[in-house]
Amino acid sequence: MGKKLIEVCEIQCIHEEDVKVAKDNMLNDNTINELTEFFKVFGDATRIKILHALFQTEMCVCDIAAVLEMNQSAISHQLRVLKSARLVKFRREGKVIYYSLDDNHVIDVLQQGLAHVKHR
Amino acid sequence: MGKKLIEVCEIQCIHEEDVKVAKDNMLNDNTINELTEFFKVFGDATRIKILHALFQTEMCVCDIAAVLEMNQSAISHQLRVLKSARLVKFRREGKVIYYSLDDNHVIDVLQQGLAHVKHR
DNA sequence: TATACATATGAATAACTGTTCATATGTATT
DNA sequence: AATACATATGAACAGTTATTCATATGTATA
């Protein structure tokens, strides 16, 4: 009989009512995932730089690469991420593809982030 | 003399003026880093859930673990991230530590993200 | 001061992500 | 058709990150 008790449930301290309310109000999985995917896109320096550059004018891939001083492939990969998050759109003109911001929220979100950063 | 030319610069297509302007207006590295760190915090489902839960009421670690149905350690680790990003604050009451939202921006940012997600 | 409980933390691991390299695709020009 | 250029893409690799497990710390209570 030297055995320890079987662990039934590690959680002991619970404010039942609060937990219940919070659980009931939980965002559904889809919303959570879309939300985190949305923010993830902003959580990378390269992508922020691209968005910020496009905030000023549309640009082709080469231009963006030149601005960020990174190679074309890296930019292209990141543009794909931004594209599938619908944050940028593009138009073709001959060989050149011009990218620009797709969504008005982008600017707001960036600006809000900047405000946050600067207030500290 | 069968050698290829030495690669001088891979970038060929440049709209010089646009690139110059964008380069001049680039955010400085510090701002970029703080900004991406800020957004990175929102780019994780667990942390979003925690923030959303705390949006309703302050809660202790155990409560949060119960709400998210995750173990205490995982929550604790994520609370550390949120704490160092100054998105949550805490107060001690005996053994129990209550966490709550620290920053008004948090709610705004979350709400904006939600608005974005729902408009698609 | 011994025990129980709430929380924190370090190490290990598995999964994910960004960049690079090589190469493919698509478009214009000769 | 052949060439050049702008962009895209797949594979590989390195670095990062979230979770788990085991354990430590801190606080109350018997």
Side-chain angles (χ1 to χ4, degrees):
Chain A
M1 283 313 218
K3 272 199 163 187
K4 281 194 174 175
L5 281 175
I6 293 155
E7 190 101 16
V8 175
C9 173
E10 65 169 315
I11 293 164
Q12 333 238 7
C13 141
I14 293 194
H15 301 75
E16 278 195 46
E17 190 50 28
D18 288 346
V19 170
K20 187 178 171 348
V21 171
K23 267 195 153 179
D24 289 349
N25 291 345
M26 277 242 312
L27 298 168
N28 67 57
D29 283 359
N30 251 340
T31 308
I32 290 282
N33 289 336
E34 289 173 32
L35 201 50
T36 59
E37 290 312 309
F38 175 70
F39 284 122
K40 241 179 237 178
V41 179
F42 293 91
D44 175 78
T46 301
R47 288 191 292 267
I48 290 277
K49 286 180 197 165
I50 294 176
L51 292 173
H52 186 258
L54 294 181
F55 174 63
Q56 307 173 56
T57 178
E58 71 170 5
M59 276 196 266
C60 71
V61 180
C62 269
D63 288 348
I64 299 171
V67 172
L68 305 207
E69 292 176 6
M70 291 177 65
N71 72 47
Q72 175 268 322
S73 179
I75 301 299
S76 215
H77 279 297
Q78 295 303 350
L79 282 171
R80 186 159 49 85
V81 176
L82 293 170
K83 219 160 40 184
S84 64
R86 309 243 200 146
L87 300 186
V88 302
K89 59 178 190 278
F90 62 96
R91 68 182 179 86
R92 168 157 238 148
E93 198 168 287
K95 288 184 287 193
V96 181
I97 297 181
Y98 291 94
Y99 281 87
S100 57
L101 298 184
D102 185 16
D103 190 306
N104 292 327
H105 288 266
V106 179
I107 296 164
D108 297 342
V109 172
L110 270 186
Q111 226 109 49
Q112 203 165 353
L114 275 169
H116 174 89
V117 165
K118 298 211 166 137
H119 276 89
R120 302 214 158 248
Chain B
M1 281 319 199
K3 273 199 160 184
K4 281 195 175 175
L5 282 175
I6 294 153
E7 189 102 15
V8 175
C9 174
E10 65 168 317
I11 295 163
Q12 331 238 9
C13 143
I14 293 192
H15 301 75
E16 276 196 47
E17 189 51 29
D18 288 347
V19 170
K20 188 180 169 349
V21 170
K23 267 195 152 178
D24 289 349
N25 291 345
M26 278 240 316
L27 298 167
N28 67 58
D29 284 1
N30 250 340
T31 308
I32 290 283
N33 289 335
E34 288 172 35
L35 201 50
T36 60
E37 290 312 309
F38 175 69
F39 284 121
K40 243 179 238 178
V41 179
F42 291 91
D44 175 80
T46 302
R47 288 191 293 266
I48 290 276
K49 288 179 195 164
I50 295 176
L51 292 173
H52 186 258
L54 295 181
F55 173 64
Q56 306 172 58
T57 178
E58 70 170 7
M59 277 196 264
C60 72
V61 180
C62 271
D63 289 348
I64 300 171
V67 172
L68 304 208
E69 293 175 7
M70 291 177 66
N71 72 46
Q72 174 270 321
S73 180
I75 303 298
S76 216
H77 279 296
Q78 294 302 351
L79 283 170
R80 187 158 48 84
V81 175
L82 293 169
K83 218 159 44 184
S84 64
R86 309 242 200 147
L87 300 186
V88 303
K89 60 181 192 275
F90 62 95
R91 69 183 179 84
R92 168 157 238 147
E93 199 171 283
K95 286 184 287 193
V96 182
I97 297 181
Y98 293 94
Y99 280 87
S100 57
L101 298 185
D102 184 17
D103 190 305
N104 292 328
H105 287 266
V106 179
I107 297 164
D108 297 341
V109 172
L110 270 186
Q111 227 109 49
Q112 203 166 352
L114 276 169
H116 174 89
V117 166
K118 298 211 165 139
H119 276 89
R120 302 216 160 246

